[in-house]
């Protein structure tokens, strides 16, 4: 490679990495916990749920309850299981009847507890798991700014990955086996950055591509909508599989009773291991009532297996069917693969733990890259004023990033102690606490103090997470194991492992400090 080409790639890698470093760290740190989003939600609410995407509650009973409160006649209603939790999302469309009561002419969305049938708004059902999940794509920033910001960060991260591989290509094998922690500081950070960067390369590449796709796909497809579909968004979304068919009501009440549960049993007998994730009712209680059931085959059986059936409620006959085994389109396959590899939900707990570990490894790669940038500019030929500025920038960077560990652990304790925690409580506690810790580390002006204190505080709070769970709810680790509460013991065990690792790192840091003092 020519020197000029090498320098261009090297500086592109450095600049693209430094510019996005803080945002990228937040994305990967929060994203690592997002793999356990459902477990965290269930842990917080003390709910014991079956680990399946399948709608395994009595849909007929749920619809009867909703009908009593909202008068569903002639309206479209959808039950959708977005996550593995006790609540289900309920969407009710406005009535199509011009003579219908006024209160039925507005659409509604809420979450319904499938055990006690309690209705909750999005804010009322908010949780720390939802907060961390949405933080990893900056959803707390007003839409669409946060989404686009995270998307472009992922895109720049992709540039950093590609240029990093090209820069290190000649020494990529030899450097992988080299780690010299006793050499000068820049050498240590470079070795750590290269080795761990290579270990996490496939993981990082996948998340850069899928993250950019999810967050900025609207900008990418907008020209296609204007040119290929003449601005017809409805047709575009229909071909992508995001739209449902429509059925006009006959404005006559259906005389026979309809059992959605019977339809569900019929379809699951037809396709074994088919998990129904959505029930959509068109024209509820009307003679032209139709029932749509959609879902997928279990990921243990088939990675791509999306299916759908539509029943005519009056006749009980199937009017439309999409076989999850034989009828998979290219668009659906690509779309589903991107979702699955991003969420990491197809390989059980082991894959989630591995994904979380690789997420934390990526956080370290980001930090080591920034430290390389700092050490490389801490030379005598660089003016003192510029060196102090560079050092101050990194101090602020580390303060923002590393303070996420202790405030996240402390937030887990807070939502358990002050349960049920509202959306405003989660926002206030996390962001204010994060700000206070960041300011403390910024004013301290000591990177070693920031590093050690954040690790120590995070580890201490991490140990207290399962303790707070046991004291408040009685779900001690051994009790959760005995009761089969997988969400509870998964979150508790996760924090114990993180805390133990944090204590080991602090112990190693103290040992190295003592060695340096002796020498």
């Amino acid at each position: 490679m020519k020197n000029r080409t090498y320098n261009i790639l090297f500086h592109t890698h450095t600049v693209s990495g430094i510019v996005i470093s803080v945002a990228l760290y937040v994305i990967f740190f929060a994203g690592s916990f997002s793999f356990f989003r459902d477990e965290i939600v269930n842990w917080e609410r003390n709910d014991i749920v079956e680990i399946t995407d399948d709608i395994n509650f009595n849909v007929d009973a749920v619809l009867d309850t909703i009908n009593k409160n909202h008068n569903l006649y002639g309206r479209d209603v959808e039950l959708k299981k977005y996550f593995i939790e006790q609540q289900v999302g309920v969407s009710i469309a406005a009535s199509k009847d011009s003579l219908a009561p006024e209160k039925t002419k507005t659409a509604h969305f809420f979450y319904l507890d499938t055990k006690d049938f309690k209705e909750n708004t999005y804010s009322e059902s908010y949780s720390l798991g939802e907060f961390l999940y949405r933080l990893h794509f900056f959803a707390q920033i007003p839409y669409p700014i946060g989404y686009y910001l995270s998307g472009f960060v992922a895109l720049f991260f992709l540039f950093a990955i590609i240029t990093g591989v090209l820069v290190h290509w000649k020494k990529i094998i030899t450097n992988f086996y080299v780690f010299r922690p006793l050499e000068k500081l820049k050498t240590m950070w470079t070795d750590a950055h290269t080795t761990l960067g290579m270990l996490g390369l496939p993981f990082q590449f996948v998340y850069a591509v899928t993250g950019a796709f999810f967050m900025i796909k609207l900008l990418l497809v907008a020209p296609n909508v204007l040119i290929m579909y003449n601005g017809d968004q409805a047709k575009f979304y229909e071909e992508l599989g995001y739209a449902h068919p429509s059925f006009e009501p006959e404005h006559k009440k259906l005389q026979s009773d309809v059992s959605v549960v019977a339809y569900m049993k019929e379809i699951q007998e037809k396709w074994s291991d088919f998990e129904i994730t959505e029930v959509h009712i068109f024209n509820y209680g009307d003679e032209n009532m139709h029932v749509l059931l959609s879902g997928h085959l279990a990921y243990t059986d088939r990675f791509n297996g999306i299916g759908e059936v539509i029943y005519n409620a009056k006749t009980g006959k199937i009017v439309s069917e999409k076989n999850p085994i034989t009828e998979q389109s290219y668009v659906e396959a690509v779309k589903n693969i991107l979702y699955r590899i991003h969420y990491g939900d197809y390989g059980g707990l082991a894959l989630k733990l591995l994904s979380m570990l690789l997420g934390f490894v990526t956080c370290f790669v980001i930090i080591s890259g920034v430290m390389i940038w700092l050490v490389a500019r801490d030379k005598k030929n660089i003016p003192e004023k510029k060196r102090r500025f560079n050092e101050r920038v990194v101090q602020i960077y580390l303060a923002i990033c590393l303070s996420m560990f202790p405030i996240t652990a402390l937030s887990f304790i807070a939502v358990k102690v002050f349960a049920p925690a509202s959306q405003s409580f989660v926002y206030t506690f996390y962001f204010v606490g994060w700000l206070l810790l960041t300011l403390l580390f910024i004013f301290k002006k000591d990177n070693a103090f920031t590093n050690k204190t954040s690790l120590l505080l995070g580890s201490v709070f991490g140990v207290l997470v399962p303790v707070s769970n046991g004291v408040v709810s009685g779900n001690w680790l051994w009790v959760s194991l005995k009761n089969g509460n997988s969400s509870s013991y998964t979150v508790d065990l996760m924090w114990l492992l993180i805390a133990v690792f944090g204590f080991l790192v602090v112990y190693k840091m103290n040992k190295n400090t003592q060695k340096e003092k002796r020498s």
Side-chain angles (χ1 to χ4, degrees):
M1 186 185 295
K2 294 180 180 179
N3 285 338
R4 185 173 182 276
T5 305
Y6 177 87
N7 288 332
I8 291 172
L9 291 172
F10 179 80
H11 289 299
T12 302
H13 177 70
T14 304
V15 172
S16 60
I18 291 296
V19 167
I20 64 172
S21 57
V22 174
L24 192 62
Y25 185 94
V26 173
I27 288 172
F28 271 96
F29 189 86
S32 297
F33 285 96
S34 297
F35 290 112
F36 293 91
R37 184 251 176 225
D38 298 347
E39 286 83 357
I40 294 169
V41 170
N42 295 323
W43 173 88
E44 187 178 340
R45 296 172 182 163
N46 301 317
D47 291 339
I48 301 177
V49 299
E50 185 182 349
I51 308 302
T52 176
D53 288 335
D54 188 39
I55 291 178
N56 51 4
F57 53 85
N58 190 325
V59 173
D60 291 337
V62 167
L63 288 171
D64 288 342
T65 303
I66 298 171
N67 188 35
K68 290 175 184 176
N69 299 329
H70 297 277
N71 186 11
L72 298 180
Y73 174 70
R75 305 169 76 179
D76 291 355
V77 57
E78 179 179 277
L79 307 179
K80 190 163 185 177
K81 191 173 181 181
Y82 292 97
F83 304 102
I84 301 175
E85 56 183 65
Q86 198 166 289
Q87 293 187 341
V88 63
V90 180
S91 300
I92 305 174
S95 177
K96 302 171 186 176
D97 187 353
S98 59
L99 301 177
E102 196 63 34
K103 65 178 182 179
T104 65
K105 292 182 180 180
T106 55
H108 295 281
F109 176 83
F110 54 87
Y111 287 97
L112 185 78
D113 191 301
T114 55
K115 289 192 175 179
D116 61 14
F117 298 145
K118 182 182 177 184
E119 296 179 10
N120 296 298
T121 63
Y122 176 76
S123 297
E124 291 169 340
S125 62
Y126 204 75
S127 64
L128 182 59
E130 177 73 0
F131 172 82
L132 290 171
Y133 166 70
R134 298 186 74 78
L135 180 61
H136 98 279
F137 53 90
F138 304 144
Q140 286 82 1
I141 300 173
Y143 180 83
I145 299 171
Y147 282 43
Y148 290 160
L149 175 61
S150 62
F152 281 109
V153 166
L155 191 61
F156 275 101
F157 182 45
L158 185 61
F159 291 152
I161 291 170
I162 294 171
T163 52
V165 169
L166 292 173
V167 165
H168 296 290
W169 185 253
K170 282 189 176 180
K171 298 180 179 179
I172 211 162
I173 302 298
T174 55
N175 285 4
F176 181 77
Y177 296 100
V178 176
F179 185 62
R180 298 159 288 183
L182 300 179
E183 293 291 330
K184 59 184 180 179
L185 200 58
K186 184 186 176 185
T187 303
M188 185 198 75
W189 284 120
T190 302
D191 288 348
H193 186 74
T194 305
T195 304
L196 293 176
M198 279 305 303
L199 281 172
L201 180 62
F203 173 86
Q204 293 155 14
F205 182 82
V206 163
Y207 280 87
V209 172
T210 56
F213 168 77
F214 290 139
M215 294 296 105
I216 58 176
K217 62 184 176 184
L218 287 179
L219 295 178
L220 298 176
V221 302
N224 294 329
V225 177
L226 292 172
I227 299 170
M228 297 176 63
Y229 294 88
N230 297 319
D232 190 346
Q233 292 187 29
K235 186 178 179 183
F236 175 73
Y237 284 117
E238 183 181 346
E239 291 200 11
L240 283 181
Y242 289 119
H244 289 313
S246 60
F247 298 93
E248 291 301 317
E250 294 186 5
H251 304 297
K252 294 179 182 179
K253 285 193 175 183
L254 184 66
Q255 299 303 314
S256 58
D257 292 331
V258 177
S259 174
V260 177
V261 172
Y263 294 151
M264 294 171 69
K265 287 180 179 178
E266 181 182 321
I267 205 65
Q268 287 178 325
E269 287 174 3
K270 185 176 182 179
W271 301 322
S272 62
D273 294 327
F274 185 73
E275 298 181 351
I276 298 171
T277 59
E278 178 186 338
V279 176
H280 194 106
I281 314 291
F282 302 90
N283 309 317
Y284 184 91
D286 187 86
E287 279 206 350
N288 200 30
M289 173 177 167
H290 285 72
V291 179
L292 180 149
L293 305 175
S294 64
H296 59 81
L297 295 174
Y299 296 133
T300 53
D301 296 335
R302 193 180 180 93
F303 198 69
N304 269 314
I306 298 172
E308 177 183 288
V309 174
I310 300 178
Y311 285 89
N312 183 315
K314 184 178 180 179
T315 63
K317 303 291 185 182
I318 294 175
V319 297
S320 175
E321 177 180 303
K322 181 179 173 300
N323 193 302
I325 302 170
T326 60
E327 298 179 41
Q328 293 301 303
S329 69
Y330 173 78
V331 172
E332 286 175 332
V334 171
K335 193 172 62 174
N336 191 49
I337 287 172
L338 289 173
Y339 275 106
R340 297 287 68 78
I341 62 177
H342 189 87
Y343 285 110
D345 57 359
Y346 57 90
L349 183 61
L351 181 61
K352 287 186 176 184
L353 286 170
L354 178 61
S355 299
M356 184 183 215
L357 176 62
L358 289 171
F360 288 145
V361 166
T362 304
C363 290
F364 183 81
V365 170
I366 297 165
I367 289 177
S368 60
V370 174
M371 296 308 296
I372 292 170
W373 177 86
L374 174 64
V375 174
R377 283 152 184 78
D378 189 18
K379 297 176 180 177
K380 292 181 180 179
N381 62 334
I382 296 177
E384 180 67 23
K385 186 177 180 181
K386 194 170 183 179
R387 287 163 62 187
R388 285 202 305 269
F389 173 78
N390 293 338
E391 187 177 356
R392 191 64 179 146
V393 168
V394 174
Q395 286 171 355
I396 295 171
Y397 163 79
L398 289 178
I400 295 170
C401 295
L402 297 183
S403 56
M404 283 191 76
F405 179 33
I407 192 56
T408 300
L410 189 59
S411 295
F412 271 78
I413 299 171
V415 296
K416 182 59 71 171
V417 172
F418 298 103
S422 64
Q423 183 178 9
S424 59
F425 175 84
V426 174
Y427 272 50
T428 304
F429 188 90
Y430 195 97
F431 285 128
V432 172
W434 190 7
L435 176 63
L436 292 175
L437 282 171
T438 300
L439 291 175
L440 169 66
F441 294 143
I442 288 174
F443 290 133
K444 186 65 179 176
K445 298 180 181 180
D446 186 343
N447 290 340
F449 174 83
T450 299
N451 192 15
K452 184 177 177 180
T453 305
S454 60
L455 276 171
L456 188 59
L457 284 176
S459 300
V460 170
F461 293 147
V463 169
L464 293 176
V465 169
V467 174
S468 65
N469 187 28
V471 171
V472 174
S473 63
N475 289 325
W476 296 98
L477 188 59
W478 56 90
V479 175
S480 299
L481 281 166
K482 183 180 177 182
N483 295 336
N485 191 346
S486 60
S487 296
S488 182
Y489 67 69
T490 297
V491 174
D492 286 348
L493 187 61
M494 175 187 74
W495 270 112
L496 284 175
L497 291 173
I498 293 172
V500 168
F501 183 77
F503 282 130
L504 287 174
V505 174
V506 172
Y507 171 76
K508 187 69 176 176
M509 289 169 63
N510 288 336
K511 208 170 180 181
N512 290 340
T513 304
Q514 291 172 2
K515 281 184 181 179
E516 289 175 4
K517 286 181 179 179
R518 288 171 191 165
S519 59

